[in-house]
Amino acid sequence: MASRAKLCILFSVLYILHLNFCHGQNAVKAGYWFPDSGIEIPDIDSTLFTHLFCAFADLDSQTKNVTISSSNTSPFSQFTKTVQLKNPSVKTLLSIGGGNANKSAFSSMASQSTSRKSFIDSSINVARTNGFYGLDLDWEYPQSASDMTNLGNLLDEWQAAVSSEAKNSGNPQLILTAAVSYSSKVDGLYQYPIPSISRSLDWINLMAYDFYAPDRSNFTNCHAVLYDPSGQASGSSGVAAWRKAGVAAKKLVLGFPFYGYGWLLVNANNHGLLAPANGPAGPDNGAKRYKDIRDFIAQTRGTVVVYNSTVVCNYCYAGTTWIGYDDNQTVATKVSFAKQNGLLGYFAWHIGADNNWTLSRQATQAWGA
Ligand SMILES: *[C@@H]1O[C@H](CO)[C@@H](O)[C@H](O)[C@H]1NC(C)=O
Ligand SMILES: *[C@@H]1O[C@H](CO)[C@@H](O)[C@H](O)[C@H]1NC(C)=O
Ligand SMILES: *[C@@H]1O[C@H](CO)[C@@H](O)[C@H](O)[C@H]1NC(C)=O
Ligand SMILES: *[C@@H]1O[C@H](CO)[C@@H](O)[C@H](O)[C@H]1NC(C)=O
Ligand SMILES: *[C@@H]1O[C@H](CO)[C@@H](O)[C@H](O)[C@H]1NC(C)=O
Ligand SMILES: *[C@@H]1O[C@H](CO)[C@@H](O)[C@H](O)[C@H]1NC(C)=O
């Protein structure tokens, strides 16, 4: 019995050591910021985050160098020192690319070792010159099997380069991340390079949103559901796909949106999920920041707000306007899901859309210490 007790203690100690030291990274509570997003850098409440992503640096399609556009040079160079005034331990990453970037430039850059080297060397240079702690690749999206192979080479070479740069400079090694599809295959077809992601990135940001939008569906829906009983796109199915493909839970960071989409109902009395609709309510394909949705709810008499715990989303409707979005309960449930499933953390796109930091605060409270 005595030796069994000792063995038990030994295993408990090993277990605690494993939890504390095997995964070099503590929880990630992150958000993206970009210029003209509705908040200035000095107004960011960085105490609510462990990591902040500054978006976006560009890929020059000619030189294959990472550059910062002239209008962003000054804000980006001030980003890290400014957000660290309120939270000296917050880590900043420079995000490269984004949804509006030139996909073929990424594809072309990744296809040749000389252009991958231009990308890698210039990215490190730009990160160091501007005081960032890491780099985030936001290639939306690789579109073929060869893109995925080339992406794997890029990530492995990038990791080797930041490692040797850290040894030569004596600085802490740059963090490397990527924003990726919610699921491990883009469009259900092209599998991400799983081994390279696992060995060469600190983590990946799963963009678990934009599953539906008014220009693609004439039925109301929440664009970032956590569950979908009918088996279509959902945050939980994306996490399961990445896990099944072989990526450790501790490499996964779950994304949720601080924006929603508005649809125009065909019939004001038919206002549930999957109700017939006639395209977007409002400009920008009906996209609305959380703060504008809260204003709409406050200012529109008779607005009804619903939380659906089966799919995990909020929606509200008034007259023929229907908006699906993430409110307090949705965010808290997603954060708990991420924590309970052993994920590394969560991120929000984007922090300028929050309403006086209520969702950001809700998220960090839901994760706990
Ligand atoms: C996008 O990138 C491709 C490949 O590098 C390039 O040929 C094309 O000119 C770029 N398009 C724009 C609009 O810059
Ligand atoms: C590309 O970036 C590298 C590394 O930062 C730099 O040495 C080189 O001059 C840049 N090339 C161009 C054309 O800007
Ligand atoms: C949605 O309905 C509008 C108006 O009836 C129509 O113009 C549009 O093509 C429909 N969109 C889709 C994705 O079916
Ligand atoms: C929540 O959404 C699901 C899926 O659309 C639906 O079947 C269910 O009835 C909804 N629950 C409530 C309480 O509205
Ligand atoms: C914003 O939130 C803070 C802290 O919760 C609160 O003190 C303040 O009154 C809020 N401001 C507005 C405009 O709601
Ligand atoms: C969300 O939660 C915050 C507290 O974390 C609270 O102040 C706010 O009123 C809540 N908002 C809604 C819409 O429930």
Side-chain angles (χ1 to χ4, degrees):
M1 287 307 276
S3 71
R4 195 161 159 184
K6 273 183 202 157
L7 212 57
C8 251
I9 291 169
L10 177 64
F11 276 120
S12 309
V13 169
L14 286 177
Y15 183 66
I16 292 165
L17 286 175
H18 176 80
L19 283 182
N20 286 334
F21 300 117
C22 281
H23 316 294
Q25 190 67 56
N26 293 323
V28 167
K29 302 169 164 186
Y32 281 80
W33 173 86
F34 60 91
D36 302 321
S37 59
I39 187 141
E40 300 295 326
I41 301 169
D43 298 330
I44 295 174
D45 187 350
S46 54
T47 65
L48 301 171
F49 303 95
T50 61
H51 296 79
L52 286 167
F53 291 85
C54 179
F56 286 107
D58 308 305
L59 170 61
D60 184 310
S61 66
Q62 301 297 313
T63 66
K64 307 299 192 274
N65 267 7
V66 174
T67 58
I68 295 176
S69 73
S70 56
S71 58
N72 290 340
T73 311
S74 166
F76 284 23
S77 69
Q78 299 303 310
F79 188 78
T80 300
K81 53 182 106 144
T82 308
V83 298
Q84 286 190 335
L85 290 173
K86 285 178 196 153
N87 177 5
S89 61
V90 72
K91 298 285 183 285
T92 57
L93 293 91
L94 179 65
S95 188
I96 305 159
N100 297 325
N102 181 350
K103 296 181 205 350
S104 25
F106 280 91
S107 179
S108 156
M109 174 275 290
S111 68
Q112 309 242 348
S113 71
T114 51
S115 48
R116 290 197 295 270
K117 186 164 168 27
S118 299
F119 172 90
I120 289 167
D121 292 349
S122 59
S123 73
I124 295 171
N125 194 11
V126 168
R128 289 302 190 200
T129 309
N130 291 279
F132 289 99
Y133 286 75
L135 289 159
D136 174 54
L137 174 64
D138 199 344
W139 173 1
E140 295 182 30
Y141 291 94
Q143 290 292 312
S144 67
S146 58
D147 274 356
M148 289 302 189
T149 306
N150 298 337
L151 172 61
N153 293 333
L154 174 67
L155 298 181
D156 290 336
E157 291 162 16
W158 211 12
Q159 177 57 228
V162 297
S163 164
S164 89
E165 188 271 345
K167 286 195 190 88
N168 293 335
S169 69
N171 291 323
Q173 189 170 319
L174 290 168
I175 303 165
L176 290 186
T177 65
V180 296
S181 166
Y182 79 101
S183 187
S184 59
K185 288 182 182 173
V186 167
D187 299 335
L189 291 172
Y190 308 114
Q191 171 93 40
Y192 276 97
I194 304 297
S196 297
I197 285 178
S198 295
R199 69 179 163 244
S200 294
L201 293 178
D202 290 280
W203 72 80
I204 49 177
N205 285 344
L206 310 193
M207 294 186 275
Y209 38 77
D210 284 336
F211 301 144
Y212 310 98
D215 61 350
R216 285 180 274 136
S217 168
N218 271 338
F219 295 94
T220 62
N221 218 328
C222 290
H223 73 101
V225 291
L226 183 58
Y227 302 106
D228 186 350
S230 73
Q232 298 194 48
S234 67
S236 63
S237 72
V239 168
W242 280 105
R243 296 283 293 117
K244 189 155 173 254
V247 179
K250 277 286 175 276
K251 289 262 168 184
L252 304 178
V253 168
L254 180 66
F256 39 76
F258 284 177
Y259 66 95
Y261 286 105
W263 271 263
L264 276 177
L265 293 169
V266 169
N267 176 350
N269 295 319
N270 188 0
H271 44 57
L273 287 164
L274 302 176
N278 264 329
D284 302 325
N285 196 20
K288 297 179 201 315
R289 301 178 301 182
Y290 177 62
K291 61 172 120 189
D292 298 325
I293 297 168
R294 291 307 321 177
D295 283 349
F296 173 84
I297 293 167
Q299 288 161 13
T300 313
R301 265 184 67 147
T303 307
V304 179
V305 176
V306 179
Y307 173 66
N308 184 307
S309 62
T310 307
V311 297
V312 181
C313 86
N314 289 94
Y315 61 88
C316 68
Y317 55 88
T320 53
T321 299
W322 190 101
I323 307 169
Y325 68 104
D326 286 29
D327 210 321
N328 277 356
Q329 263 173 305
T330 297
V331 165
T333 306
K334 288 179 177 181
V335 169
S336 301
F337 169 90
K339 191 166 189 187
Q340 280 159 16
N341 284 276
L343 306 197
L344 182 58
Y346 63 81
F347 77 89
W349 174 273
H350 61 93
I351 62 173
D354 202 353
N355 185 36
N356 194 24
W357 304 107
T358 53
L359 295 182
S360 304
R361 190 170 290 114
Q362 185 73 44
T364 179
Q365 283 170 359
W367 185 278

